[in-house]
Amino acid sequence: MALTNTQVEHAKPQAKPYRLNDGEGLQLEVRVTGTKVWIHRYRNPSTKKQTILTVGDYPRITLRQARMLVEDAKALIKEGIDPNNHKQQQRTMGKGERFKDVALEWHDNRKGVWSTANAEQVMECLVKDILPYLGEIPMEALSAPDILQVVRRVEARGALDKAAKVKQRIGAVFRYAVATGRVKYNPVPDLAGALKPKPVKHVNALLSAQLPDFLKDLAAHPSEIMRKAIQFTLLTLARTGSIRLAQWSEINWEAKEWRIPAEHMKMGIAHVIPLSTQALTLLEQLHLITGKGALLFYTAKRSQPMSNNAMLSALKRMKWNDKTTIHGFRALGSSIFHDAGFSHHVIEKHLAHAERNEVAGAYNYMATYLPERRALMQWWADYLDAQLNSGAKVVPLFSAKAQQG
């Protein structure tokens, strides 16, 4: 039977060291001191003798990560390479700290900034696509061709987006190493132009001429919570993740603002969205339905947020999924704002596109262009009302006078 995370976590030391089998040659060795070490039993491809590879210690290497590392070791064995010899050869290539040590320190340092999901994604990328090839090599011994070889492995799978992320994360580790005095030079920028270009992907977004019909169809959606979730997304142009995780505690009624914490933002930096009159009215109506829970929107249990694809599925039922995605609302808003003459900087700040370059404190960041963004959001809500009402006698979907429900 394969191990579970609970079994690994609760394995207690005994009078003698013992091992728990996970299968496929992976074992957890529990030592008398309480230290837990992942080991992999394999047959040396040259000598055919049973050999042990030390994979890493728990909990720094999780059960899932240990399994991934064992898969990488098996890939080497298939090629006739002994994983232990491979590790030793990499260690002797130079002096100084190994890439793996600096990368894990960098990852640990960023945990307070990233969301839990993002931290797990980055670790998975490190364990699967980077550490098996660069982990044991000293930082100062690595060159641009070494890194390019790692990126090329990912490109060969056709995963061009992932290849770009691999390059980006290796570069981030090197920037951290330079900043902390481990190395003097970051070779990653030397790879400029060496990666295969990614095909340009255009966001599937509504055309402004399609808005009236879309808004009328949305007004007829049978689920009130889902209908209001999509309406609120349109009114705020927030990302799906922020909408899904939005809590009533984030709504500042007095300031008329939605203050999104860092952990609910893509780039891990707090953001504020000014709320129009229409958005506040929608929230007042919604509070009568979901206000007893923590979350603004949920579809099944009050304590659980909507799934990642819940709103997209609603678009599919409305037969609009071939014309737009939820993320496409942001592209639509940006296009209309620019056409209307709003400042590019104000638009980008509202859409949180400038987060990566911000160095100011969280409050200063949130307050940037706030009066201008407040005017932008009210103009946008009024624009949506006008679009819904064009050529038809219907109740204004976002109007402050709209009846509840």
Side-chain angles (χ1 to χ4, degrees), residues 299-343:
T299 55
K301 295 182 180 179
R302 183 181 296 177
S303 60
Q304 294 182 358
M306 299 183 295
S307 71
N308 283 321
N309 294 319
M311 290 191 287
L312 190 60
S313 296
L315 293 185
K316 187 174 183 179
R317 288 192 293 273
M318 292 165 57
K319 302 187 185 306
W320 279 92
N321 60 301
D322 61 333
K323 301 179 182 69
T324 186
T325 62
I326 297 297
H327 191 75
F329 295 163
R330 292 163 60 82
L332 170 69
S334 177
S335 176
I336 292 174
F337 295 156
H338 280 98
D339 288 345
F342 284 96
S343 163

Side-chain angles (χ1 to χ4, degrees), residues 100-302:
K100 177 170 68 175
D101 299 325
V102 179
L104 293 175
E105 181 182 318
W106 163 76
H107 183 272
D108 189 63
N109 184 261
R110 298 296 296 172
K111 278 183 181 177
V113 177
W114 292 330
S115 66
T116 301
N118 191 33
E120 289 176 353
Q121 287 175 359
V122 174
M123 178 56 78
E124 183 172 347
C125 177
L126 286 170
V127 169
K128 182 178 179 181
D129 293 314
I130 301 175
L131 296 185
Y133 312 106
L134 303 181
E136 301 298 329
I137 305 176
M139 293 286 295
E140 63 185 22
L142 285 168
S143 63
D146 297 323
I147 297 165
L148 181 60
Q149 188 176 15
V150 173
V151 177
R152 287 274 189 253
R153 286 177 181 267
V154 183
E155 282 186 339
R157 306 199 306 256
L160 300 186
D161 284 335
K162 176 63 75 64
K165 285 187 179 294
V166 166
K167 176 193 168 196
Q168 173 191 339
R169 284 159 183 168
I170 294 173
V173 173
F174 265 98
R175 287 195 298 274
Y176 178 77
V178 171
T180 54
R182 271 57 173 262
V183 294
K184 295 181 179 179
Y185 174 68
N186 177 5
V188 174
D190 293 340
L191 299 183
L195 271 67
K196 292 181 181 179
K198 294 185 292 182
V200 177
K201 293 183 180 179
H202 297 285
V203 176
N204 199 17
L206 285 172
L207 301 174
S208 57
Q210 296 172 319
L211 256 178
D213 288 339
F214 174 77
L215 293 174
K216 290 164 194 169
D217 287 349
L218 178 57
H221 192 281
S223 169
E224 186 165 9
I225 293 178
M226 182 57 64
R227 182 173 72 247
K228 288 188 178 337
I230 298 175
Q231 291 171 359
F232 190 65
T233 306
L234 261 175
L235 281 166
T236 59
L237 299 178
R239 293 185 176 95
T240 299
S242 299
I243 294 289
R244 289 180 56 245
L245 302 175
Q247 298 190 13
W248 286 109
S249 60
E250 298 168 15
I251 305 299
N252 188 316
W253 297 95
E254 185 177 351
K256 301 179 181 179
E257 294 171 356
W258 175 21
R259 296 180 176 177
I260 310 175
E263 58 268 26
H264 292 176
M265 289 295 294
K266 179 181 178 182
M267 297 304 297
I269 299 176
H271 188 52
V272 65
I273 293 182
L275 297 172
S276 62
T277 302
Q278 290 90 328
L280 287 166
T281 298
L282 182 150
L283 290 177
E284 289 169 358
Q285 297 168 358
L286 180 67
H287 196 268
L288 298 175
I289 306 170
T290 68
K292 291 183 179 179
L295 295 165
L296 268 68
F297 306 105
Y298 51 83
T299 55
K301 295 182 180 179
R302 183 181 296 177

